[in-house]
Amino acid sequence: MMKKLLSACLLSSALLVGCGESNEVDVEGCEHLAEGPAVAVTASASTSGTLPSVGNDHKRYDITLPAGTGGNYTGSVSFAAAEATDYVFFLGADVSLTVTSSSGQAVAFEESAKSSEQCGDIKGRYVAPLEVGTYTLTFGPASQSSVSLVIEESEHDHEH
């Protein structure tokens, strides 16, 4: 009986730790969406050439999207992944996101959601497994002319 109880405790502890990682990342994303610090960026209307860059550096990027066709807005920025891991892209507006590798391959998201239980500021939450390299993040087409972005590694040590 004691072994079963110990096994149950260990299993439930492991489950709590696993769930806590996701919640911790969402708390971090919420914090930076709400409090910044903020960096203003104007996205490129093109997906090629030199794009403005964003990072996973504990900042909120307030991205202005150029006007596209049909009254919609769309734009691209670059993101350099310094390590091979899962990255979480938090958006402050309900805007579609596409991540493309430098070779032009679309990256499939492991998870995506339009909200988080941690806060109401998250309107988009995308988890992508990225290798080391530079990626193009394309937002839209959207009816909004701007979107806020916070990027976090899904498992990271919190340092500001």
Side-chain angles (χ1 to χ4, degrees), residues 63-144:
I63 302 170
T64 301
L65 303 174
T69 57
N72 286 315
Y73 298 88
T74 187
S76 299
V77 297
S78 71
F79 169 65
E83 92 180 68
T85 189
D86 289 351
Y87 289 86
V88 185
F89 299 89
F90 295 101
L91 305 183
D94 185 7
V95 173
S96 65
L97 171 66
T98 305
V99 178
T100 310
S101 70
S102 58
S103 64
Q105 297 295 315
V107 175
F109 294 117
E110 289 181 344
E111 297 176 36
S112 65
K114 298 288 183 186
S115 64
S116 170
E117 293 179 5
Q118 299 306 310
C119 73
D121 291 334
I122 295 175
K123 305 296 185 205
R125 182 187 187 280
Y126 300 89
V127 180
L130 302 182
E131 298 298 320
V132 173
T134 302
Y135 294 84
T136 299
L137 310 181
T138 302
F139 303 93
S143 58
Q144 297 96 329

Side-chain angles (χ1 to χ4, degrees), residues 25-48:
V25 170
D26 283 17
V27 168
E28 182 83 5
C30 288
E31 176 186 330
H32 292 299
L33 274 175
E35 300 172 15
V39 176
V41 174
T42 300
S44 172
S46 172
T47 58
S48 60

